[in-house]
Amino acid sequence: KAGVTQTPRYLIKTRGQQVTLSCSPISGHRSVSWYQQTPGQGLQFLFEYFSETQRNKGNFPGRFSGRQFSNSRSEMNVSTLELGDSALYLCASSMGTGGTEAFFGQGTRLTVV
Amino acid sequence: QQQVKQSPQSLIVQKGGISIINCAYENTAFDYFPWYQQFPGKGPALLIAIRPDVSEKKEGRFTISFNKSAKQFSLHIMDSQPGDSATYFCAASWGYGQNFVFGPGTRLSVLP
């Protein structure tokens, strides 16, 4: 059974640019959640999509957005990049019902210069 | 109230010893508590999880102890091995959402 796939693995962008990250969940999983991981702030929840609808949202500015497609694949977009957006972005896949196992991908390492 | 506190920040254990990591929460709505293990350059991997209606859960060398009244839970790693050296995160969530609140992490080093 294939795991959670995130692409690309690494990205270098310039301040002010925008970026799109992709996440393919485990087959059959309907929920995709996104997290930002930094040394200073740890793992922080960005948002969750379930059946193409945003179900939960964390405390991030509107520059961070996402969507989910009918095949459950999800994309995350960050516009007007800032240096502080440099982080490891992780997505987690699950069946989507409460208290079920969530599996993380390897992440996309974004560096903003 | 949304915070999950985790201690210690780092832990050094001898091979064969017991590693203990503690977490505490305030939000009584939390109803699912997983532990994740993360190696450098990798995403977090689910180790074991517990619900508040159970006081203890064991899977292999890993045990979660849960104290609902104290709003605390802990991970015990028995017979710790050098391969267990990683960062461990506790987390909590509630309801149907997969929106985990993570603790700040514990860096475990197991000496050979």
Side-chain angles (χ1 to χ4, degrees), chain A residues 62-104:
Chain A
R63 300 186 296 108
F64 293 81
S65 63
R67 60 177 174 169
Q68 186 179 35
F69 302 96
S70 58
N71 61 358
S72 293
R73 189 178 71 85
S74 177
E75 287 182 347
M76 189 190 95
N77 184 273
V78 188
S79 63
T80 318
L81 284 166
E82 301 177 357
L83 295 178
D85 297 333
S86 295
L88 180 67
Y89 290 90
L90 294 155
C91 77
S93 151
S94 74
M95 294 295 290
T97 52
T100 54
E101 297 174 328
F103 300 92
F104 282 84

Side-chain angles (χ1 to χ4, degrees), chain B residues 56-97:
Chain B
E56 186 174 281
K57 183 175 180 180
K58 183 176 180 180
E59 289 185 3
R61 297 186 294 111
F62 301 94
T63 300
I64 299 179
S65 297
F66 190 88
N67 186 328
K68 188 175 180 179
S69 61
K71 292 183 283 187
Q72 296 174 349
F73 58 111
S74 60
L75 175 69
H76 294 232
I77 305 174
M78 312 301 287
D79 187 27
S80 298
Q81 299 296 312
D84 296 331
S85 297
T87 301
Y88 293 80
F89 295 93
C90 60
S93 67
W94 70 98
Y96 287 98

